[in-house]
Amino acid sequence: MSSRLLERQKRSFDGLVDSGVYDADFDHAPAAKSFVGDVLRKVSPGLRQASLSVLDCGCGTGAWLAYLHEQLSHVGIKDPRLCGFDLSQRMVDVAQDKLSRLTEPADLRSGNVLEPRSYAFDGLEGGFDLIFTYDVVQQLPRGRQLDACRRIVAALAPGGLALIFDNDAETRFGRRMGLRKFLTRYCGLRLVPRYYCNAAYPALERIRQRLDGEAGMKARIMVRADGVKRAMVVERQGDVAQSSAAGTAERRDP
Ligand SMILES: C[S@@+](CC[C@H](N)C(=O)[O-])C[C@H]1O[C@@H](n2cnc3c(N)ncnc32)[C@H](O)[C@@H]1O
């Protein structure tokens, strides 16, 4: 991804914070939260109960980390370590404010989903138990989206789980939105907010097919009832004892 494109993305999301589209009170729609909650409940039996480490890649204002904290506590997982990074420093500033009671300031910082060093957090050299990302893969050029997903799952601890939420370009909704973005960008019609046009929905099912079976990964897709949003759930198989993320804590049987 060229540095010019990265700079443009950074500026665009910094600008959305400065113009008030994103702030500490920003929250997701009920349908979005309910889908994330459903997915989390379904996968939670496979998560360790103690010392769970969570990473949100492209964490934005921290809205999802706050929600994950709440939802995990409903399934008995208390005090997870919450980490996040985002390309936009302005987003990170908001997240640090919003999550000041749940995280250490150093655990929220700027980073790029494509860069290995963005996944390095003190004490978590063995990887993360749960990696979450929402509408971030779509921010990358199509040619880098599989790389981004590979990078994300490579940061999992053995036995860890990645939840990659996005839309799929190759669905009815994906094609309709593609057309609306095209008409907004090139024909002057205001069918979607202008900044939507920078996002390219990934071909999520194709990415799933590529990841499934690669390096001990198992990948499946869960679909929201309205068919709009999808969660690609990637499990890294392996021996939990190798994870330095949580020392000697036990993982529950799935
Ligand atoms: C649509 S927003 C979603 C924010 C957050 N995930 C949420 O759902 O509330 C996309 C986010 O991805 C971030 N982003 C874009 N490109 C990125 C990259 N290469 N690495 C990390 N974050 C990125 C943006 O700065 C922005 O915060």
Side-chain angles (χ1 to χ4, degrees):
M1 189 169 173
S2 74
S3 54
R4 229 183 49 191
L5 189 52
L6 268 180
E7 267 316 307
R8 204 183 68 193
Q9 282 280 45
K10 251 187 227 178
R11 269 203 312 278
S12 162
F13 282 101
D14 282 350
L16 290 173
V17 175
D18 293 333
S19 64
V21 173
Y22 286 102
D23 62 16
D25 294 328
F26 168 80
D27 205 0
H28 288 274
K33 290 167 77 173
S34 137
F35 181 49
V36 169
D38 284 351
V39 171
L40 209 54
R41 268 189 301 284
K42 287 198 178 111
V43 303
S44 65
L47 296 173
R48 67 170 80 243
Q49 289 272 293
S51 311
L52 187 84
S53 55
V54 180
L55 174 67
D56 185 352
C57 307
C59 61
T61 61
W64 283 125
L65 280 171
Y67 185 70
L68 292 180
H69 182 267
E70 179 194 300
Q71 294 297 303
L72 288 169
S73 84
H74 290 164
V75 294
I77 299 177
K78 308 284 182 203
D79 301 322
R81 177 160 167 198
L82 301 178
C83 301
F85 64 79
D86 196 280
L87 193 62
S88 154
Q89 182 58 48
R90 299 287 292 118
M91 289 282 197
V92 173
D93 294 341
V94 175
Q96 283 177 338
D97 260 11
K98 185 184 179 81
L99 302 173
S100 60
R101 273 183 283 162
L102 301 179
T103 59
E104 295 298 321
D107 282 345
L108 294 172
R109 55 177 206 223
S110 61
N112 178 355
V113 76
L114 290 166
E115 278 180 4
R117 66 166 179 239
S118 298
Y119 299 81
F121 285 76
D122 277 353
L124 294 172
E125 291 74 17
F128 286 85
D129 299 310
L130 178 63
I131 304 186
F132 177 92
T133 188
Y134 196 101
D135 285 359
V136 175
V137 174
Q138 61 175 259
Q139 308 301 331
L140 304 169
R142 286 237 164 77
R144 301 308 308 275
Q145 292 176 343
L146 174 61
D147 295 342
C149 293
R150 283 196 172 122
R151 186 60 68 205
I152 288 169
V153 300
L156 286 171
L161 205 65
L163 304 179
I164 299 175
F165 285 85
D166 220 302
N167 306 95
D168 191 324
E170 297 179 344
T171 59
R172 198 136 65 103
F173 174 78
R175 280 189 275 272
R176 199 170 68 231
M177 283 300 283
L179 178 63
R180 289 166 74 84
K181 287 191 241 175
F182 180 88
L183 294 172
T184 299
R185 173 170 256 173
Y186 297 109
C187 304
L189 302 176
R190 304 273 305 172
L191 298 179
V192 293
R194 188 80 200 160
Y195 69 90
Y196 279 27
C197 301
N198 296 333
Y201 292 165
L204 210 56
E205 171 53 25
R206 286 176 196 242
I207 293 180
R208 184 202 70 74
Q209 287 169 15
R210 297 290 295 274
L211 288 183
D212 192 46
E214 233 180 60
M217 302 290 170
K218 261 176 64 188
R220 67 198 153 105
I221 288 190
M222 295 169 71
V223 184
R224 201 167 79 184
D226 62 6
V228 167
K229 189 63 75 182
R230 271 126 218 271
M232 182 164 66
V233 179
V234 189
E235 290 169 52
R236 177 177 174 193
Q237 292 157 331
D239 178 4
V240 72
Q242 289 169 26
S243 165
S244 69
T248 57
E250 294 291 317
R251 186 181 304 284
R252 281 208 281 155
D253 288 332

